[in-house]
Amino acid sequence: MTLVAFALAFVLVALLVYWIFSPWLLTRALASSTDPLLRKLERLHFAREMILENLQDLELDRQMGKIDSKDYENLRAKMMVEAAGIYESLQELENKDPLFVEIRRLIESKGISAS
Amino acid sequence: MTTTALIPGIGEVFLALSLATAVFALVSGALGGMRNEARFVISAERALYATTALITAAIFILWYCLITDNFMVRYVYSYSNHEMPLVYKFSALWGGQDGSLLFWMWLTSIFASLSIFTHRQSDRVLIPYAISVFATILGFFSLMLVYEDNPFKLFPEMAADGRGLNPLLQNPSMAIHPPSLYLGYVGMSVPFAFAISALLMNRLDTRWITATRIWTLIAWFFLSIGNLLGAQWAYVELGWGGFWGWDPVENAAIMPWFTASAFLHSVMIQEKRGLLKFWNINLIVISFCLTVLGTYLTRSGVVQSVHSFARSSIGYWFLSFLVFVILFCAFWIYRRRESLKSATIFESFLSKESAFVANNIALVGIAFIILWCTMFPTASELIIGTRIIVGPPFFNKMLAPVAIFLLILTGIGPVIGWRKASKENLKSSFIWPTLIGAIGTGASALLHITHWYVLMTVFGCLFVLSTLVMEFYRGTLSRMIQYNESWFQALSTAILKNNRKYGGYIVHLGLVMIFAGVAGTAYKRIYEFDIKPGEVQRFEDYSVYLKDFESFDHPNQEETYAILELFRQNQKLATVRPGRFFYKQQEQPSTEVDIYSRWSEDVYFTLGTIDPKTERARIQITLNPMISLLWLGGLILALGGLLAMMPPLRTKSVQVQERKV
């Protein structure tokens, strides 16, 4: 009984060690992209989310009377300029990157709606 | 080898293997991060899951030993016995030092695996070093358990019976309180691991914050529940009529709660405005270090506490780990100081950002006052050779002004706008709350409430309550006007769409009630008398009649109860049964209080000694005004936390906003 238990334990440990070590035998794929273009794109997406959330908050603050109309107009104008800049950079980047150009071409050729 | 020795032996092997897998995960994760190679990261991830599986197996083996009364295992002998009910055998896992450390490590491994698994695709960049940080924590615990505090240590022979769990821990809330607190402690390791990973990778944008938002909330939620249950346990079990004695162990548990609360507020500023990057990294490091420091204080014997573990050398382990974490983090924060500079600036002093900064100063200030007062006896002993004890009155005196300042800020933060609040906003938001607060304070003064901090708490509570009502009202009204919704639909949609914000408001409501409950303790009254069966004793407009005594002899303990009838203005309210237990195995008495609860106050009964000759029993009665508000506030706070954790209701507003842009 004890011998069987030890044998079973040994097999389990061996399987565990193999399961943990086996990825070392794989090819050297990257863990995360180092492409500066993709990193910039990621940053811009983050910035876009942030500015949209800020615009929503500003709108909510105005509706609830937390900000006067003059400050609201000023802040909104500032944020819209910032947002426009982010959208412009995003579009520029997507037009430049061959991957996005290829995706867009694929979409157009298959007639899939981008929205 | 017998099965009784073999099974704990397997547990020990699992522990040793978990140390090996944790070390492997640490190295492989670091290699993956440095070389950016997927094979190392996948391998590290698998090693982390394997560590979790091995610790889980070790935990189940220890539970098995406890439930099957395997007294060959020293831990089982020390914290369990034949007569203990099954639920306490189960909770004995965290009743002693070795078991509680194993339990802590198990929870950390579960949090680590879950957070890595859920973020492995969405936050791939942060994963390698996050694994290494988790593996370092787990490796530290494994090393300590294997070499210093092994819960599977055996006696040469099986003992006939165990010593049993400490009687004070044989209470239902003790079965929930420590796990809840531990979940809070270990939960803080998730934002810490991701923050350190962001620091090492120099990716100090808001990614690590958004990735760990839910985990921080979970940790905060469990810390809140754990502390409240601890207070509840102290109230019903310790028999002194209070719920918080500023004991070092209580302090160790509450300090990370304050810094985690500060963190939850300050990350919003980084998310919305890109400010306070440096502060947020520091705050999460402080919160994590406080959890380690708390463990060090509880287990090293440097502070004296009613519920600390035995003095042991593992204190040095924790101290070394703490020093390592502080030095490592300080080095990397210094190296990344340029990236930690804020992206924008504060636009106005009158803004939500400023209110949050003030709130952070108050919260962190409270944590440091508690830390200072907790360490003061040890520091005084080191410096002047005399241990100067700092008691609850000192804590209360030091903390009351900051706590009231914090309470008032709780009312200011929600109603003030981001970036720049208008004068009209300030006027319309604060005139009514200030007036309501002032009227309430005046009315309280007329009712002979004279303690200045009770009066200030009345003002603060009414001020915050009014701002919260206004905030809900305005939110509902703006939706009713904009979307033509009924008030119910507008209110529920506003809450579900902005659940994080409104969840926070509900947490604030719970805090207001907790403050009111705590303020009530200023008017606590204690009555003590001797009484024998058939006699009546009067206090205020109450009277108690001692009907008789009742005794029971259970295998684990002897129980004696005083059967008392409580009357108010000659009308019977209840029959109460305060008792005294004597635990045979430990030869230790314990007090079992009975409480008659009303909304306005609790009548709290404690049975003292009974003179067998005269049959006179010593009864202590404590009248605790408004204490029920404290527990109700705790419940509301927990509900608010749950609401904040829920995923928000998806609407089209973001797309609408996007179209506008």
Side-chain angles (χ1 to χ4, degrees):
Chain A
M1 176 66 189
T2 315
L3 202 69
V4 174
F6 273 113
L8 199 68
F10 181 79
V11 171
L12 278 174
V13 170
L15 282 173
L16 188 74
V17 170
Y18 175 75
W19 184 64
I20 293 170
F21 270 97
S22 58
W24 282 45
L25 309 170
L26 296 173
T27 50
R28 294 180 178 194
L30 289 178
S32 55
S33 170
T34 49
D35 185 348
L37 211 65
L38 280 176
R39 280 186 73 163
K40 194 174 175 192
L41 191 73
E42 201 183 358
R43 266 204 305 277
L44 284 168
H45 275 295
F46 244 85
R48 185 182 65 174
E49 266 175 49
M50 204 161 140
I51 195 79
L52 285 174
E53 233 178 86
N54 282 346
L55 272 163
Q56 261 189 311
D57 284 336
L58 185 72
E59 208 61 50
L60 207 66
D61 278 358
R62 188 186 65 97
Q63 282 165 18
M64 293 173 80
K66 292 182 185 176
I67 190 162
D68 66 26
S69 48
K70 202 178 148 200
D71 283 333
Y72 166 77
E73 293 299 342
N74 276 341
L75 286 171
R76 191 169 188 280
K78 247 198 247 179
M79 282 193 217
M80 290 299 261
V81 170
E82 202 182 323
I86 294 167
Y87 273 87
E88 211 174 317
S89 309
L90 264 171
Q91 209 157 24
E92 206 177 295
L93 210 67
E94 288 179 358
N95 285 339
K96 226 196 275 177
D97 188 17
L99 185 70
F100 285 99
V101 174
E102 199 186 325
I103 292 170
R104 201 167 302 139
R105 201 174 42 80
L106 209 71
I107 291 170
E108 278 161 13
S109 69
K110 291 200 173 176
I112 305 165
S113 163
S115 62
Chain B
M1 193 185 266
T2 58
T3 323
T4 43
L6 179 70
I7 289 175
I10 295 172
E12 207 168 342
V13 170
F14 283 154
L15 262 186
L17 281 175
S18 76
L19 174 61
T21 50
V23 171
F24 181 82
L26 161 64
V27 174
S28 194
L31 277 174
M34 282 187 285
R35 295 190 184 182
N36 193 24
E37 283 188 33
R39 55 190 185 135
F40 292 124
V41 183
I42 296 168
S43 191
E45 200 184 322
R46 288 183 181 184
L48 184 74
Y49 300 150
T51 311
T52 307
L54 289 163
I55 302 166
T56 307
I59 278 279
F60 279 96
I61 286 177
L62 190 56
W63 256 325
Y64 178 78
C65 293
L66 282 163
I67 287 162
T68 55
D69 294 329
N70 186 347
F71 298 122
M72 200 167 187
V73 181
R74 280 169 196 253
Y75 186 81
V76 178
Y77 167 80
S78 305
Y79 301 102
S80 182
N81 64 24
H82 281 301
E83 284 76 30
M84 250 166 55
L86 187 67
V87 63
Y88 296 130
K89 282 184 183 175
F90 191 74
S91 66
L93 182 83
W94 50 83
Q97 179 149 284
D98 322 355
S100 70
L101 288 174
L102 179 64
F103 183 62
W104 187 311
M105 181 166 80
W106 182 48
L107 295 178
T108 308
S109 69
I110 291 173
F111 267 79
S113 292
L114 280 177
S115 60
I116 291 295
F117 185 77
T118 45
H119 294 279
R120 72 194 190 288
Q121 296 298 341
S122 56
D123 300 285
R124 201 177 293 180
V125 182
L126 300 176
I127 292 299
Y129 286 126
I131 294 176
S132 289
V133 175
F134 283 130
T136 309
I137 301 169
L138 292 172
F140 161 71
F141 274 94
S142 288
L143 195 71
M144 193 167 53
L145 284 169
V146 170
Y147 291 103
E148 187 71 39
D149 250 339
N150 187 348
F152 296 106
K153 256 187 218 159
L154 297 176
F155 285 123
E157 275 179 28
M158 179 94 145
D161 200 0
R163 287 209 301 247
L165 191 63
N166 181 342
L168 287 175
L169 302 180
Q170 296 190 34
N171 174 286
S173 57
M174 265 299 119
I176 324 166
H177 158 65
S180 177
L181 213 49
Y182 289 173
L183 280 169
Y185 277 158
V186 304
M188 289 314 297
S189 62
V190 180
F192 173 75
F194 280 80
I196 297 303
S197 180
L199 202 60
L200 296 175
M201 295 293 288
N202 203 10
R203 300 290 292 263
L204 291 156
D205 48 28
T206 49
R207 178 176 280 278
W208 72 271
I209 287 174
T210 45
T212 57
R213 187 191 286 161
I214 185 73
W215 299 97
T216 316
L217 265 171
I218 290 172
W220 177 89
F221 173 78
F222 281 114
L223 272 176
S224 312
I225 299 281
N227 276 295
L228 282 162
L229 284 172
Q232 171 78 20
W233 169 77
Y235 189 60
V236 301
E237 189 63 25
L238 296 184
W240 58 283
F243 53 88
W244 198 270
W246 295 112
D247 177 272
V249 177
E250 291 173 344
N251 301 346
I254 197 85
M255 282 186 292
W257 184 86
F258 281 109
T259 52
S261 303
F263 180 72
L264 280 174
H265 286 91
S266 66
V267 287
M268 278 192 258
I269 307 178
Q270 188 174 338
E271 278 179 62
K272 304 268 185 212
R273 303 289 326 280
L275 293 161
L276 302 183
K277 280 183 184 178
F278 180 78
W279 174 246
N280 284 329
I281 278 277
N282 276 291
L283 206 49
I284 197 63
V285 171
I286 291 171
S287 298
F288 179 75
C289 286
L290 282 176
T291 64
V292 182
L293 179 76
T295 323
Y296 165 67
L297 293 180
T298 325
R299 292 155 198 274
S300 61
V302 290
V303 290
Q304 285 161 7
S305 155
V306 285
H307 44 0
S308 59
F309 291 90
R311 195 184 189 108
S312 83
S313 56
I314 69 154
Y316 296 111
W317 286 73
F318 275 100
L319 194 61
S320 314
F321 185 60
L322 187 63
V323 170
F324 165 73
V325 172
I326 291 171
L327 290 177
F328 182 86
C329 295
F331 172 76
W332 279 99
I333 288 172
Y334 179 75
R335 265 196 83 170
R336 300 283 186 241
R337 62 193 182 283
E338 284 304 315
S339 312
L340 285 168
K341 280 186 181 158
S342 294
T344 49
I345 51 157
F346 277 89
E347 280 166 41
S348 166
F349 178 70
L350 296 173
S351 61
K352 203 187 272 288
E353 295 92 304
S354 302
F356 277 9
V357 169
N359 136 307
N360 262 243
I361 293 168
L363 284 165
V364 176
I366 289 175
F368 276 92
I369 292 172
I370 298 172
L371 178 66
W372 171 244
C373 293
T374 308
M375 296 305 291
F376 192 76
T378 312
S380 66
E381 195 176 18
L382 274 175
I383 298 164
I384 57 167
T386 313
R387 198 174 182 88
I388 300 171
I389 304 294
V390 177
F394 187 75
F395 274 93
N396 294 338
K397 206 171 178 177
M398 293 287 286
L399 291 173
V402 196
I404 288 166
F405 173 62
L406 184 67
L407 175 65
I408 293 169
L409 281 173
T410 309
I412 296 173
V415 287
I416 201 165
W418 285 103
R419 291 172 189 252
K420 194 177 180 183
S422 67
K423 277 181 194 159
E424 283 70 31
N425 162 232
L426 294 178
K427 243 192 263 173
S428 67
S429 298
F430 296 123
I431 281 184
W432 279 108
T434 312
L435 261 175
I436 291 169
I439 292 167
T441 313
S444 306
L446 289 176
L447 290 169
H448 306 292
I449 290 174
T450 49
H451 287 286
W452 75 266
Y453 59 88
V454 176
L455 288 172
M456 286 305 292
T457 308
V458 170
F459 174 80
C461 288
L462 289 172
F463 177 80
V464 179
L465 214 56
S466 318
T467 56
L468 287 177
V469 169
M470 272 169 57
E471 200 57 11
F472 274 92
Y473 172 74
R474 284 171 169 181
T476 310
L477 193 68
S478 88
R479 281 198 72 86
M480 283 168 74
I481 295 167
Q482 205 180 358
Y483 302 104
N484 204 18
E485 291 173 342
S486 69
W487 73 266
F488 179 75
Q489 196 186 0
L491 176 68
S492 50
T493 317
I495 292 174
L496 294 173
K497 239 187 86 179
N498 302 289
N499 61 313
R500 206 171 145 209
K501 176 174 156 182
Y502 284 98
Y505 292 169
I506 293 171
V507 168
H508 287 181
L509 176 66
L511 277 176
V512 165
M513 296 174 86
I514 291 174
F515 265 92
V518 173
T521 56
Y523 290 92
K524 174 166 128 176
R525 285 99 66 203
I526 299 172
Y527 299 91
E528 222 173 331
F529 46 78
D530 290 328
I531 187 169
K532 75 177 196 181
E535 276 185 3
V536 175
Q537 284 281 355
R538 292 176 203 285
F539 55 99
E540 298 189 8
D541 53 355
Y542 293 101
S543 56
V544 280
Y545 165 69
L546 175 59
K547 208 172 165 188
D548 207 351
F549 296 113
E550 251 180 17
S551 292
F552 302 97
D553 192 1
H554 295 297
N556 199 27
Q557 77 268 9
E558 286 167 9
E559 298 176 358
T560 308
Y561 297 95
I563 315 297
L564 291 156
E565 286 181 350
L566 175 69
F567 294 85
R568 189 163 181 247
Q569 290 162 346
N570 296 326
Q571 201 169 11
K572 188 179 166 185
L573 296 176
T575 301
V576 288
R577 301 167 79 242
R580 273 182 88 76
F581 290 3
F582 183 78
Y583 288 85
K584 298 173 191 172
Q585 194 76 27
Q586 297 87 352
E587 296 188 347
Q588 197 178 322
S590 105
T591 311
E592 296 299 313
V593 303
D594 202 351
I595 303 163
Y596 175 72
S597 277
R598 296 165 62 213
W599 274 111
S600 56
E601 67 187 359
D602 269 12
V603 188
Y604 184 99
F605 293 85
T606 316
L607 174 64
T609 49
I610 302 168
D611 187 336
K613 281 184 197 161
T614 59
E615 277 208 312
R616 295 190 87 82
R618 189 96 187 133
I619 303 281
Q620 191 190 66
I621 293 169
T622 311
L623 296 176
N624 278 322
M626 290 160 75
I627 195 95
S628 47
L629 280 181
L630 177 79
W631 312 125
L632 185 65
L635 187 70
I636 289 173
L637 181 134
L639 289 175
L642 280 177
L643 178 66
M645 276 191 261
M646 272 168 51
L649 189 73
R650 305 286 300 173
T651 61
K652 290 177 181 166
S653 57
V654 173
Q655 286 97 313
V656 169
Q657 199 66 257
E658 220 165 348
R659 274 203 296 276
K660 279 184 192 168
V661 172

